[in-house]
Amino acid sequence: MLTWRTNSRGSDVGLAKYDSGEIGHGKYDSGEIPRGYIPSLTHSQISGEIPGASPDHMMSPVGNIGRRGHQFPYVNHSPNPSREFSGSLGNVAWKERVDGWKMKDKGAIPMTNGTSIAPSEGRGVGDIDASTDYNMEDALLNDETRQPLSRKVPIPSSRINPYRMVIVLRLIVLCIFLHYRITNPVRNAYPLWLLSVICEIWFALSWILDQFPKWSPINRETYLDRLALRYDREGEPSQLAPVDIFVSTVDPMKEPPLVTANTVLSILAVDYPVDKVSCYVSDDGAAMLTFDALAETSEFARKWVPFCKKYNIEPRAPEWYFAQKIDYLKDKVQTSFVKDRRAMKREYEEFKVRINGLVAKAQKVPEEGWIMQDGTPWPGNNTRDHPGMIQVFLGHSGGLDAEGNELPRLVYVSREKRPGFQHHKKAGAMNALVRVSAVLTNGQYLLNLDCDHYINNSKALREAMCFLMDPNLGRSVCYVQFPQRFDGIDRNDRYANRNTVFFDINLRGLDGLQGPVYVGTGCVFNRTALYGYEPPIKKKKPGFFSSLCGGRKKTSKSKKKSSEKKKSHKHADSSVPVFNLEDIEEGIEGSQFDDEKSLIMSQMSLEKRFGQSSVFVASTLMEYGGVPQSATPESLLKEAIHVISCGYEDKTDWGSEIGWIYGSVTEDILTGFKMHARGWRSIYCMPKRPAFKGSAPINLSDRLNQVLRWALGSIEILFSRHCPIWYGYGGRLKFLERFAYVNTTIYPLTSIPLLLYCILPAVCLLTGKFIIPEISNFASIWFILLFISIFATGILEMRWSGVGIDEWWRNEQFWVIGGISAHLFAVFQGLLKVLAGIDTSFTVTSKATDEEGDFAELYMFKWTTLLIPPTTILIINLVGVVAGISYAINSGYQSWGPLFGKLFFAFWVIVHLYPFLKGLMGRQNRTPTIVVVWAILLASIFSLLWVRIDPFTTRVTGPDIVKCGINC
């Protein structure tokens, strides 16, 4: 049976005992008097939403608001909780959904509070089909509200057409160049020539896969004023869709609680109706530090949120707001702003001290584990074996700010973990949040953020709603992806942490096809798409010849037969969606429910897909979100505990067809690919003010480890059944979109030819041979045209995208650095995992703040095995350059001509590795600098000796070596 942790007296539910205030505090047994009080759920029933605090403590009197009792998470101590309470609730919810389908035929949409919306209000029947116009009464809407909420802004033809012409010309020149290289071998250096040609062919294929998905880039504009006129008018209840926001964290030592707190505060202060926002924080490490830090954050939010909304400040993460070096009085006209800002800054500094105190206490874990104030142990002391925990900190009817206004919901979630179960890392944690949020609030859309990515633009959710709630576009959109922007990066962006070329060029190109790939954070999902449903199919207009031939409509019987054939064909392919919401609705509506068994059978089949929770299954069929009318807070929280149990996903489609897809550490790419294969499209939204900002590892070693993890995930996808080379051909994935996904999975393999190509210049310089034969004047034209086309493509790409040349060049440099280090290791690790079953551990990227000075971490030297290949290549190329020049000096002017070609390739490698060399020679690392300099100097001396004296034909004495050393 399901039990609930309450107090040291150990009752099962015992909600009434909390009236007396006998509650412990969850600090580290410090004995401190808690500050403030978190109100709790009452026993009253709710309609359409869950109250915002936990049922394990009651509402405090008005006079005691300043005191806080302890927040105890709901805990599941049983691996197999009873399902008796969910059956009746799930059947009621199922019947409510059925009544909703019946009401659709009558022209009304049911809401969770028992009322209905006529077609002229909110999202009416005219919104059901994406291909229909927005059907509303003319008396209620003016011309402005009839307009679309967004529009495509094509790249000017004066910029995009020359770019496309150069791409075509470059492809032609590349084919001629490769033809020449293949048909003109170098006889005296055949192995070197063969390796170089193989590498060049691979580079050409890689360039094609990367270039052509950028053929038709677009920009987009949103109209927030039209969105407000249509869905959020003043004086009327907001019709904006509810949004559940997910924040994931694992290790509070690598992901500081203060960073997570700033992200949560920016969410709670977002410019969106508070009753439509719910924030879920996933603590996959079950850390008491995270739990208590979140309790402190919820208390500080009562003061921070009204301050943000009163003065409309940006950004709404206090750490970054107070760190801005700008005139904060600009555009501020209220005289009280200066006083309130000064007081709020002091409140935030006190909040930081309290968080730092929690972190300091958490440095040393007691032998018996963490003990709560009431003497009971923290349920998550064993991070690999603990029950599921849920705590609702803020929310409706209890979560009020300092001015008495309602706050968004804030929920702490730590899923159950037991030995012997596969938990699937971040993807498993995200799927647990999907189920918990569906049971408690069931927002129509989901936003997922990393714990270090705060909301930088308070209107970010409204920007996404301009696409998702557009009646003509939103029904076919699976997610809206925002670009990642970063704080705390050095001005030169030495290691290309901003990824500007990817976010400002590649993803804009994909937006002109079927949409950008999912990049793991800053993405607003359509919940329906995550559940494995396929998008609605727009009916194609009859062609010209079919209309001439008198084509007639199919009868209902023929339609059923064709749909059955199509289904049988689709389910033969694993890429086809497992569900079709329209088919489910048509089947149930057509049956009129004369047979009660049909209702039960359809519910049972869905439970096999989604798991044994009838409440959750019923929530998946609510297109517009909300929870069942008859739900009570206690029953919903019990159901939420059940759906995060570690055995819930057994024998279901979670992770294979539903939710975040398992099988790779880069679950984001895999999840987006599955949606696109089903026929959904995604949107790329780039508002003028960046929607989200995060932190990036600016240290070279941390950056390479991050790139290693991404590349390893791509290799895992490449060797899995979801590889885009052969997966999804029975679906609706566009051809060039497949090109992009293929390039996303095979790019680490480029590290092998890249490594060989970086070694070839040094080998040529040391051996005196070259990979290219003597060429005629006519053949040299194709070499020149190839280099011109390469530079022209880059220049025109920068021209239409607005990316600076410095950012473009940093990306090129780090492509080489990462290619010969992290990508290379990822290939071998991936092969070991596939062939030998040797798995690699997932390392969380450190997100520590820069507290030791401006970019102090940038100059920190951390040795890792990833640095061995680039260091080796750099040294041998420097040695080759010295050896080649000294050989030319000794041989006379006739040897300088062939030397220039070899030096060109060697300098190409050295220039691309220059940021790496600079990272080794950090200003705070004198020892590595001296070691590298002496290594290069000694290698150069020995190379000169090798050139000056032929060891195979000349006898060398000691004085000769000394003389050569003096000459060097």
Side-chain angles (χ1 to χ4, degrees):
M1 293 295 294
L2 186 70
T3 57
W4 307 87
R5 178 163 311 274
T6 54
N7 54 19
S8 58
R9 302 176 188 178
S11 60
D12 286 342
V13 178
L15 296 175
K17 291 189 177 182
Y18 285 93
D19 291 336
S20 63
E22 295 177 359
I23 325 171
H25 192 260
K27 305 293 181 187
Y28 303 97
D29 199 16
S30 60
E32 297 177 359
I33 298 176
R35 300 177 62 261
Y37 178 80
I38 304 297
S40 71
L41 292 177
T42 64
H43 289 285
S44 60
Q45 293 186 354
I46 58 172
S47 176
E49 53 190 356
I50 180 98
S54 169
D56 52 19
H57 44 284
M58 301 300 293
M59 184 75 70
S60 68
V62 177
N64 293 334
I65 290 294
R67 276 188 332 129
R68 182 193 311 154
H70 174 55
Q71 304 80 32
F72 280 98
Y74 266 11
V75 182
N76 176 14
H77 293 282
S78 172
N80 296 310
S82 172
R83 307 297 313 125
E84 294 177 359
F85 59 83
S86 69
S88 60
L89 179 60
N91 290 334
V92 172
W94 180 266
K95 290 179 180 178
E96 289 175 1
R97 178 59 176 161
V98 171
D99 294 337
W101 283 323
K102 290 181 178 179
M103 292 179 69
K104 279 186 181 180
D105 294 334
K106 299 178 182 179
I109 297 175
M111 300 297 287
T112 55
N113 57 6
T115 61
S116 61
I117 296 179
S120 60
E121 298 176 28
R123 294 192 68 185
V125 176
D127 298 348
I128 299 300
D129 187 358
S131 63
T132 60
D133 294 330
Y134 198 78
N135 184 17
M136 281 190 163
E137 295 179 4
D138 295 341
L140 295 178
L141 296 175
N142 55 24
D143 291 339
E144 186 69 17
T145 58
R146 297 175 184 272
Q147 299 300 318
L149 302 179
S150 64
R151 75 180 183 98
K152 291 182 182 180
V153 182
I155 306 296
S157 57
S158 59
R159 295 187 177 184
I160 196 64
N161 287 340
Y163 175 66
R164 291 171 177 167
M165 291 174 59
V166 169
I167 291 174
V168 175
L169 291 175
R170 179 175 173 180
L171 182 62
I172 296 172
V173 172
L174 185 61
C175 293
I176 298 173
F177 170 80
L178 291 177
H179 177 266
Y180 174 83
R181 292 283 285 126
I182 294 172
T183 56
N184 291 270
V186 181
R187 302 299 178 185
N188 62 340
Y190 195 84
L192 297 178
W193 167 84
L194 183 60
L195 283 176
S196 66
V197 169
I198 293 174
C199 294
E200 289 161 5
I201 293 174
W202 180 267
F203 294 150
L205 293 175
S206 178
W207 172 76
I208 291 172
L209 291 174
D210 178 69
Q211 187 66 64
F212 279 90
K214 297 183 285 188
W215 182 262
S216 54
I218 60 170
N219 295 318
R220 293 186 184 270
E221 275 185 3
T222 56
Y223 302 104
L224 298 180
D225 51 346
R226 296 177 184 175
L227 179 76
L229 283 172
R230 184 173 294 179
Y231 296 113
D232 195 26
R233 301 182 210 162
E234 292 186 9
E236 298 181 12
S238 175
Q239 297 297 331
L240 290 172
V243 182
D244 294 337
I245 304 177
F246 300 163
V247 179
S248 57
T249 181
V250 180
D251 186 354
M253 293 297 120
K254 292 186 177 180
E255 300 167 327
L258 188 62
V259 174
T260 305
N262 272 271
T263 300
V264 172
L265 289 169
S266 69
I267 293 171
L268 298 178
V270 70
D271 184 8
Y272 206 75
V274 292
D275 59 324
K276 307 285 186 179
V277 177
S278 301
C279 177
Y280 293 83
V281 179
S282 170
D283 178 17
D284 219 31
M288 193 173 178
L289 172 59
T290 303
F291 180 84
D292 281 337
L294 206 58
E296 291 285 356
T297 303
S298 65
E299 185 66 21
F300 178 71
R302 301 175 190 274
K303 303 172 184 177
W304 173 252
V305 172
F307 171 75
C308 294
K309 294 186 176 181
K310 180 179 180 180
Y311 297 109
N312 195 26
I313 66 168
E314 297 283 1
R316 298 188 177 182
E319 182 70 25
W320 298 106
Y321 170 69
F322 291 119
Q324 291 182 112
K325 297 179 180 179
I326 60 172
D327 181 13
Y328 62 85
L329 297 177
K330 186 178 181 181
D331 300 328
K332 296 294 185 293
V333 296
Q334 295 169 281
T335 55
S336 60
F337 172 70
V338 176
K339 181 180 178 181
D340 289 349
R341 184 183 185 276
R342 189 179 298 115
M344 185 53 60
K345 187 174 183 180
R346 180 174 180 178
E347 290 281 352
Y348 177 65
E349 289 173 350
E350 293 176 355
F351 167 72
K352 287 178 66 175
V353 171
R354 293 196 296 273
I355 296 294
N356 292 338
L358 294 176
V359 174
K361 292 176 183 177
Q363 297 296 325
K364 187 177 181 181
V365 182
E367 294 182 0
E368 67 277 6
W370 298 115
I371 305 296
M372 293 191 287
Q373 185 71 20
D374 63 350
T376 57
W378 169 248
N381 277 327
N382 188 345
T383 58
R384 297 183 179 181
D385 186 4
H386 64 83
M389 295 179 284
I390 294 177
Q391 170 71 40
V392 187
F393 286 103
L394 296 174
H396 182 67
S397 66
L400 303 179
D401 61 25
E403 298 182 0
N405 299 317
E406 183 182 344
L407 288 171
R409 299 167 188 83
L410 176 60
V411 185
Y412 169 90
V413 179
S414 182
R415 58 179 173 147
E416 181 185 20
K417 287 189 176 181
R418 302 292 180 190
F421 287 88
Q422 178 61 261
H423 300 293
H424 301 290
K425 300 175 183 176
K426 180 181 177 181
M430 297 305 295
N431 284 337
L433 287 183
V434 171
R435 296 191 294 271
V436 168
S437 63
V439 171
L440 296 183
T441 52
N442 198 25
Q444 187 176 352
Y445 302 109
L446 310 173
L447 165 63
N448 90 287
L449 294 173
D450 288 343
C451 66
D452 63 319
H453 273 71
Y454 64 90
I455 298 180
N456 182 66
N457 183 349
S458 62
K459 297 186 183 297
L461 293 181
R462 294 178 182 268
E463 295 277 355
M465 292 304 117
C466 287
F467 302 103
L468 293 169
M469 296 188 70
D470 190 290
N472 293 322
L473 177 65
R475 295 277 292 176
S476 60
V477 174
C478 57
Y479 60 81
V480 176
Q481 178 66 62
F482 291 87
Q484 292 185 21
R485 304 301 188 206
F486 301 99
D487 287 313
I489 297 178
D490 61 303
R491 183 169 54 87
N492 295 322
D493 191 14
R494 180 184 294 177
Y495 306 123
N497 283 281
R498 293 190 177 93
N499 282 332
T500 311
V501 171
F502 175 74
F503 288 114
D504 288 12
I505 297 180
N506 294 58
L507 293 190
R508 286 166 70 185
L510 290 177
D511 198 20
L513 302 174
Q514 200 174 342
V517 299
Y518 167 42
V519 297
T521 184
C523 185
V524 183
F525 283 96
N526 184 341
R527 190 184 281 268
T528 304
L530 276 174
Y531 287 157
Y533 294 112
E534 65 179 346
I537 303 174
K538 293 185 179 181
K539 296 179 180 179
K540 295 183 179 179
K541 296 181 180 180
F544 176 74
F545 290 103
S546 63
S547 61
L548 285 180
C549 297
R552 54 192 178 93
K553 295 182 179 179
K554 292 183 179 180
T555 61
S556 59
K557 290 183 178 180
S558 62
K559 280 185 178 179
K560 286 184 179 179
K561 290 181 180 179
S562 61
S563 63
E564 288 175 2
K565 289 180 180 179
K566 188 177 287 187
K567 280 186 185 179
S568 63
H569 172 69
K570 281 185 177 181
H571 285 285
D573 185 4
S574 59
S575 68
V576 176
V578 292
F579 309 117
N580 188 331
L581 185 59
E582 294 173 348
D583 291 345
I584 295 172
E585 293 183 4
E586 289 174 6
I588 295 179
E589 289 172 355
S591 67
Q592 298 298 321
F593 299 101
D594 294 335
D595 188 3
E596 188 72 18
K597 291 183 179 179
S598 62
L599 174 62
I600 298 174
M601 292 299 295
S602 58
Q603 183 177 358
M604 290 177 62
S605 63
L606 287 174
E607 284 187 353
K608 290 181 180 179
R609 305 281 192 183
F610 291 104
Q612 296 298 315
S613 172
S614 54
V615 176
F616 174 73
V617 169
S619 72
T620 63
L621 298 174
M622 297 178 181
E623 290 184 82
Y624 301 101
V627 297
Q629 306 171 24
S630 55
T632 62
E634 293 81 4
S635 62
L636 289 179
L637 282 168
K638 290 177 182 178
E639 193 72 14
I641 285 287
H642 168 62
V643 298
I644 60 173
S645 60
C646 54
Y648 181 83
E649 296 182 356
D650 291 348
K651 298 180 181 180
T652 66
D653 287 335
W654 284 101
S656 59
E657 300 293 339
I658 304 171
W660 271 256
I661 306 301
Y662 303 150
S664 171
V665 294
T666 53
E667 70 287 332
D668 45 4
I669 298 295
L670 203 51
T671 303
F673 174 61
K674 291 279 285 189
M675 293 182 184
H676 283 136
R678 293 184 184 119
W680 292 92
R681 75 150 296 128
S682 55
I683 299 292
Y684 196 51
C685 181
M686 297 180 65
K688 291 183 179 179
R689 179 179 180 85
F692 310 100
K693 279 191 175 183
S695 60
I698 60 175
N699 179 268
L700 176 60
S701 301
D702 292 339
R703 172 72 167 134
L704 288 178
N705 278 295
Q706 183 187 56
V707 173
L708 170 64
R709 188 173 71 250
W710 294 343
L712 179 59
S714 296
I715 292 296
E716 290 173 342
I717 298 174
L718 179 64
F719 294 116
S720 71
R721 72 182 186 93
H722 291 115
C723 178
I725 298 175
W726 53 72
Y727 180 86
Y729 282 98
R732 287 174 276 173
L733 186 67
K734 291 186 177 180
F735 183 69
L736 287 180
E737 188 81 10
R738 184 180 297 278
F739 261 41
Y741 275 108
V742 171
N743 183 54
T744 303
T745 55
I746 71 168
Y747 77 89
L749 297 179
T750 308
S751 60
I752 297 175
L754 183 61
L755 178 70
L756 296 174
Y757 215 73
C758 289
I759 295 174
L760 283 176
V763 175
C764 292
L765 286 168
L766 292 173
T767 60
K769 299 177 181 179
F770 199 38
I771 57 176
I772 299 176
E774 294 184 6
I775 57 176
S776 62
N777 293 334
F778 179 76
S780 63
I781 295 176
W782 298 113
F783 282 81
I784 296 173
L785 288 177
L786 178 63
F787 286 108
I788 291 176
S789 65
I790 291 173
F791 288 115
T793 305
I795 292 171
L796 293 175
E797 202 167 65
M798 289 183 284
R799 184 168 176 258
W800 68 255
S801 65
V803 174
I805 189 171
D806 54 339
E807 296 171 316
W808 183 86
W809 175 241
R810 290 300 185 199
N811 181 80
E812 291 293 314
Q813 287 180 314
F814 196 79
W815 176 75
V816 176
I817 296 172
I820 60 178
S821 56
H823 297 174
L824 184 68
F825 277 73
V827 171
F828 289 111
Q829 287 186 14
L831 290 174
L832 285 174
K833 182 176 181 179
V834 173
L835 300 178
I838 301 175
D839 199 358
T840 54
S841 59
F842 173 78
T843 303
V844 178
T845 305
S846 177
K847 299 174 178 64
T849 55
D850 185 21
E851 298 178 351
E852 299 179 0
D854 292 337
F855 315 118
E857 189 183 357
L858 177 67
Y859 307 102
M860 189 181 301
F861 183 82
K862 301 177 183 178
W863 177 257
T864 174
T865 53
L866 296 176
L867 301 178
I868 295 176
T871 304
T872 305
I873 290 174
L874 185 63
I875 290 177
I876 63 173
N877 274 279
L878 289 173
V879 169
V881 168
V882 175
I885 293 176
S886 61
Y887 178 82
I889 293 174
N890 294 331
S891 301
Y893 70 92
Q894 69 276 4
S895 61
W896 283 97
L899 177 65
F900 284 133
K902 304 172 187 177
L903 289 178
F904 174 81
F905 285 106
F907 279 120
W908 179 89
V909 175
I910 294 171
V911 168
H912 278 78
L913 293 179
Y914 174 72
F916 170 77
L917 178 62
K918 202 171 181 180
L920 292 179
M921 297 183 177
R923 68 183 182 189
Q924 297 179 358
N925 302 284
R926 301 304 179 190
T927 303
T929 303
I930 295 172
V931 170
V932 171
V933 170
W934 273 105
I936 295 174
L937 181 61
L938 291 174
S940 301
I941 292 175
F942 280 108
S943 68
L944 287 175
L945 291 174
W946 184 269
V947 174
R948 188 71 176 256
I949 306 168
D950 188 352
F952 299 105
T953 58
T954 308
R955 289 186 61 188
V956 183
T957 61
D960 294 327
I961 297 177
V962 173
K963 291 179 182 178
C964 291
I966 293 173
N967 291 333
C968 292

